[in-house]
Amino acid sequence: MNELQKVLDSYSLHNIGILDSTIPMNKYIPLDLSKSNETLLDVDITNPVTCQSYIDTVVKSKDGIVAYGGYLEERNLYADKDGFSAAHKPKRNIHLGIDFWTNADTKVLAPIDGKVHSFKNNNVVGDYGPTIILEHTLHHITFYTLYGHLSIESLTGLFKGKVFKAGETLAKLGTPDINVNYAPHLHFQIIKDLEGNEGDYPGVCALENLQHYKFNCPNPNYLLKIKGSS
């Protein structure tokens, strides 16, 4: 582990819920949206309705409420989006955070104490839609957490420096028309260095840039320690 990973891992011995506290942790169901998942071969997951239907089937089959996963997952989810797979750009299809798929309007909780660094409505199709970035300091190490695909109301009343305590409601999940064409979910990402970004940071990278982003965006589960039902 590098220094940031050690700090995240040492924060708590227990799992940390990042959605509505009334959702039991045993209702979090692992979800595989990777291109190697053969059950997705005939499923157009770029369509939010089709994607939602598939997720609902997986969650229902395991009596869950939230489907989660996706860190460093190579996906076909972005195949129809120009910003990810346009011919003049490196193909970006490796996911850098953990996604939590559940109903729109579900509460998003701050997992640890932090303050608002920046926020923005990244409303280009395929992007995050409404996005919040929090700044945190643990053991003298500063890092950031990004929350994407929120409701537009989640940005109301925010200001730089606004403090959120661990477990406090930070936002709510947005609908596909607001989160720019995805089934409702939270994209949660930990970032060591924002590299000058405000209210935004890449959540998907190309294979050729993976080592840089893997170092700068450690697995969020070092912090959350979610071990849902399988």
Side-chain angles (χ1 to χ4, degrees):
M1 291 187 191
N2 62 38
E3 193 173 16
L4 176 55
Q5 289 171 341
K6 290 178 181 178
V7 166
L8 296 171
D9 189 56
S10 67
Y11 176 74
S12 174
L13 296 175
H14 307 288
N15 52 39
I16 298 174
I18 198 167
L19 297 176
D20 191 324
S21 60
T22 64
I23 302 174
M25 298 307 298
N26 64 3
K27 295 296 184 179
Y28 283 65
I29 306 301
L31 178 71
D32 180 3
L33 291 183
S34 71
K35 60 187 297 184
S36 61
N37 182 353
E38 294 184 357
T39 64
L40 291 173
L41 290 178
D42 297 319
V43 178
D44 180 14
I45 61 169
T46 64
N47 182 305
V49 176
T50 305
C51 184
Q52 184 67 68
S53 178
Y54 175 76
I55 293 168
D56 288 345
T57 298
V58 173
V59 170
K60 184 177 180 180
S61 71
K62 298 180 179 180
D63 190 31
I65 296 175
V66 177
Y68 77 96
Y71 180 67
L72 299 190
E73 200 169 68
E74 190 174 0
R75 295 173 165 178
N76 290 325
L77 182 61
Y78 318 107
D80 66 327
K81 300 168 179 67
D82 288 343
F84 295 87
S85 56
H88 64 283
K89 295 179 181 180
K91 182 179 180 180
R92 297 192 298 130
N93 66 350
I94 300 175
H95 190 251
L96 299 171
I98 291 181
D99 283 336
F100 296 87
W101 306 82
T102 192
N103 299 328
D105 292 324
T106 297
K107 293 178 181 178
V108 177
L109 310 180
I112 55 175
D113 294 352
K115 63 182 180 180
V116 175
H117 171 274
S118 51
F119 53 95
K120 181 181 177 184
N121 186 7
N122 298 290
N123 59 357
V124 176
V125 171
D127 211 319
Y128 291 126
T131 309
I132 299 173
I133 296 177
L134 296 184
E135 179 179 325
H136 313 272
T137 301
L138 287 176
H139 302 296
H140 308 292
I141 294 179
T142 297
F143 62 97
Y144 306 88
T145 52
L146 182 150
Y147 309 79
H149 308 295
L150 309 175
S151 69
I152 192 67
E153 292 81 9
S154 298
L155 305 185
T156 302
L158 287 186
F159 54 88
K160 289 190 177 185
K162 182 174 182 178
V163 172
F164 286 89
K165 294 295 184 180
E168 187 176 353
T169 299
L170 172 68
K172 292 185 177 181
L173 298 187
T175 51
D177 57 316
I178 298 299
N179 76 23
V180 281
N181 212 41
Y182 291 105
H185 72 289
L186 170 69
H187 173 95
F188 177 68
Q189 186 169 335
I190 295 177
I191 304 161
K192 184 175 186 292
D193 181 358
L194 282 170
E195 302 175 310
N197 285 277
E198 295 270 335
D200 194 13
Y201 189 83
V204 180
C205 77
L207 179 61
E208 63 193 69
N209 300 319
L210 178 57
Q211 289 309 306
H212 167 74
Y213 285 109
K214 184 178 179 180
F215 175 78
N216 200 42
C217 302
N219 189 338
N221 227 17
Y222 279 115
L223 175 67
L224 301 181
K225 297 177 176 65
I226 293 176
K227 298 176 181 178
S229 300
S230 59

